Amino acid sequence: QVQFVESGGGSVQPGGSLRLSCTYSGVFVRINSMGWGRQVPGRQRELVAHMVNGDNSVYQDSVMGRATISGDFAKRTLILQMNDLTSEDTAVYYCFANVRLPGAPGSANYWGQGTQVTVSL
């Protein structure tokens, strides 16, 4: 299995910034991608940003230009820096990794426990 340790959530005023951190561990055959998703109650979880093969970063349109994802596949760490936050960014943020575990026929997404981000005055 995959274990995650997430940190950095909290409350921030509109226009502020947050830095989310994630460290994940486990025994993997392959790490395909890692990133962050978020979910608001009553809505589907959505991808915010992810890194593919350690160097190709992909962002959701709504965070383009405001978010920067960085990480180290070898160290299994992941950072999401988000700036100019708005109330629309309020959600539970989840770290994820798409990996193949030993003995598994293919790869799958594994998610952390989530950290709350609240943007309000």
Side-chain angles (χ1 to χ4, degrees):
Q1 294 301 315
V2 186
Q3 293 80 42
F4 297 88
V5 177
E6 299 161 317
S7 62
S11 296
V12 64
Q13 293 186 347
S17 299
L18 274 180
R19 180 182 171 92
L20 304 179
S21 300
C22 175
T23 301
Y24 57 98
S25 60
V27 179
F28 311 130
V29 173
R30 179 181 172 87
I31 301 173
N32 300 306
S33 64
M34 53 185 184
W36 293 89
R38 65 187 181 187
Q39 188 169 21
V40 175
R43 297 176 63 178
Q44 285 191 328
R45 189 173 299 183
E46 60 182 12
L47 291 183
V48 176
H50 64 282
M51 299 177 67
V52 181
N53 296 325
D55 57 7
N56 183 27
S57 300
V58 181
Y59 296 93
Q60 186 195 80
D61 286 347
S62 67
V63 303
M64 189 76 71
R66 302 189 295 119
T68 301
I69 188 170
S70 59
D72 187 319
F73 271 32
K75 295 181 180 178
R76 299 180 180 181
T77 60
L78 190 66
I79 302 293
L80 180 68
Q81 175 72 39
M82 289 192 65
N83 303 318
D84 194 21
L85 291 164
T86 74
S87 59
E88 296 295 312
D89 297 311
T90 296
V92 178
Y93 285 71
Y94 298 88
C95 180
F96 81 89
N98 183 276
V99 302
R100 182 176 178 181
L101 300 181
S107 299
N109 281 342
Y110 296 87
W111 297 85
Q113 76 282 2
T115 183
Q116 177 70 46
V117 171
T118 302
V119 184
S120 65
L121 292 172

